[in-house]
Amino acid sequence: CLLPVALTLNRVRADKYAPHTTVGPFRLLSRVATSQACEIWEASREPGGTRHALKVMLPSRTGDRAQIDLLRREYAVGRQLNHPLVIRVDEFAVDNGVGYLAMEYFPAPNLKQVMRQGGEAWLAAATRVAQQTAEALGAIHNQGWIHRDVKPENFLVALDGPDGPQVKLIDVSLGRKIRGWWGRLLTSGPKAEGTRSYMSPEQIRRRPQDRRADIYSLGCMYFEMASGKPPYAAATAQELLQKHLRLPPPSLKSANPLVSDRFAALVKNMLAKEPQDRPESMEAVARELRLCGESGMFTTETQKKQIK
């Protein structure tokens, strides 16, 4: 349901917001990220000053029903999810044609940014981060949802958490409920949704999808975590999608010869073209990661060389 609050919005003339702008009951403090349609801010809810992450439509998107509906959908899905590895979604409202979403504030970069920065802390945490991404997705699967946009940008990662690295899964705007007594199938919409570098073959073909679509996407992400790049690249969007559909999974050992054998085998299985050939659940993925042992994603020698 919508928050029944009288809302006001003071916007700057440019197509962005400025610190101390008010958006409904929220005061913007510092910009966290910007996309084509929204900005994300650290914000203070007044009165009281509680901190939130506020996802707010850009001024140029005022009245954009499709974007408002996307935020409403993200709210509807997020409010039904409850797990410490999944970002908490608190409020949604529309004010004068501008939609916004208030969420748990988790001050950490996304996984893509962490990977680009690299360093000893990232190498030491990589296997545990991988385990937590599988656990986060397993949690939403167990609550009857699939994510459908698994990629490094949709995981926040704090490497210096009080109990070690901590992950938060975000952006469930493409999430779909798994319906029906027969289990895990859903009918996709009229267009393929997701991010091309990580989309499963069944998403591209707009065929029924279940939890194993997320497993494929996570396999693409693990490939990137271990090698620095997704499994497929192409000059055009159509060529990239065709590679997901037709090319066999590339060898992770070829991309990084010092990746552990067990992790490389896991990623290969996750990237199988047919859902039935992939691991059956995120729990199975997390279990296999634990069985990778002390070396985890990388051999000990890999870590030594990369740290140097």
Side-chain angles (χ1 to χ4, degrees):
C1 61
L2 302 185
L3 184 69
V5 175
L7 305 176
T8 61
L9 177 63
N10 302 320
R11 292 193 291 273
V12 295
R13 291 182 180 179
D15 190 26
K16 62 181 181 179
Y17 300 94
H20 307 298
T21 299
T22 58
V23 180
F26 295 93
R27 181 167 58 89
L28 304 184
L29 301 177
S30 61
R31 186 182 291 106
V32 175
T34 303
S35 69
Q36 291 183 342
C38 296
E39 288 186 338
I40 299 177
W41 283 77
E42 177 188 359
S44 173
R45 195 183 197 287
E46 308 297 343
T50 57
R51 288 293 191 268
H52 293 264
L54 198 72
K55 187 174 185 178
V56 56
M57 289 168 53
L58 293 172
S60 63
R61 294 296 187 115
T62 299
D64 185 335
R65 297 305 309 174
Q67 186 59 41
I68 290 172
D69 288 345
L70 201 61
L71 288 173
R72 182 181 288 111
R73 179 175 168 185
E74 185 172 356
Y75 173 78
V77 177
R79 286 293 288 172
Q80 299 185 53
L81 302 175
N82 180 24
H83 193 272
L85 296 179
V86 180
I87 209 75
R88 189 185 71 248
V89 175
D90 296 321
E91 302 177 19
F92 166 76
V94 180
D95 176 63
N96 295 326
V98 175
Y100 64 83
L101 187 70
M103 300 168 288
E104 171 189 0
Y105 180 60
F106 185 71
N110 66 48
L111 178 55
K112 178 78 83 172
Q113 295 168 321
V114 171
M115 288 191 292
R116 285 175 177 168
Q117 182 176 354
E120 183 175 352
W122 159 238
L123 288 170
T127 301
R128 182 59 190 136
V129 168
Q131 290 172 345
Q132 288 192 29
T133 60
E135 292 166 8
L137 289 163
I140 72 168
H141 291 174
N142 291 338
Q143 294 177 57
W145 294 87
I146 60 174
H147 190 280
R148 302 177 69 242
D149 196 19
V150 175
K151 58 183 178 181
E153 292 87 341
N154 282 338
F155 291 94
L156 303 180
V157 179
L159 294 179
D160 56 352
D163 300 313
Q166 185 177 6
V167 164
K168 291 279 187 179
L169 175 63
I170 64 172
D171 197 349
V172 292
S173 58
L174 297 187
R176 292 284 184 90
K177 189 74 174 176
I178 303 170
R179 302 183 184 279
W181 64 269
W182 47 358
R184 310 185 305 187
L185 298 182
L186 64 90
T187 301
S188 191
K191 64 178 181 179
E193 295 179 308
T195 301
R196 294 184 185 97
S197 291
Y198 310 92
M199 286 175 66
S200 69
E202 56 268 34
Q203 281 177 277
I204 296 168
R205 291 191 171 106
R206 304 194 298 275
R207 290 182 176 173
Q209 298 149 43
D210 64 13
R211 297 164 175 86
R212 293 167 296 183
D214 281 350
I215 288 175
Y216 180 94
S217 299
L218 189 64
C220 292
M221 193 180 89
Y222 284 173
F223 192 102
E224 184 175 1
M225 289 173 68
S227 72
K229 58 185 179 180
Y232 301 111
T236 67
Q238 188 58 35
E239 181 186 358
L240 178 57
L241 296 181
Q242 287 301 312
K243 287 185 175 182
H244 280 291
L245 292 175
R246 305 190 186 283
L247 285 190
S251 168
L252 182 54
K253 292 288 287 185
S254 295
N256 182 352
L258 296 175
V259 168
S260 69
D261 291 343
R262 189 153 197 159
F263 183 75
L266 170 63
V267 171
K268 181 180 180 180
N269 290 339
M270 295 172 74
L271 293 178
K273 302 300 181 186
E274 298 299 329
Q276 64 268 23
D277 295 330
R278 301 171 201 151
E280 63 181 8
S281 67
M282 286 296 175
E283 286 81 2
V285 171
R287 182 168 60 250
E288 187 64 20
L289 284 169
R290 289 192 292 271
L291 291 174
C292 284
E294 182 179 349
S295 62
M297 289 172 58
F298 304 110
T299 64
T300 302
E301 189 62 27
T302 302
Q303 293 191 4
K304 287 179 181 178
K305 288 187 176 183
Q306 292 193 24
I307 289 170
K308 290 179 181 178

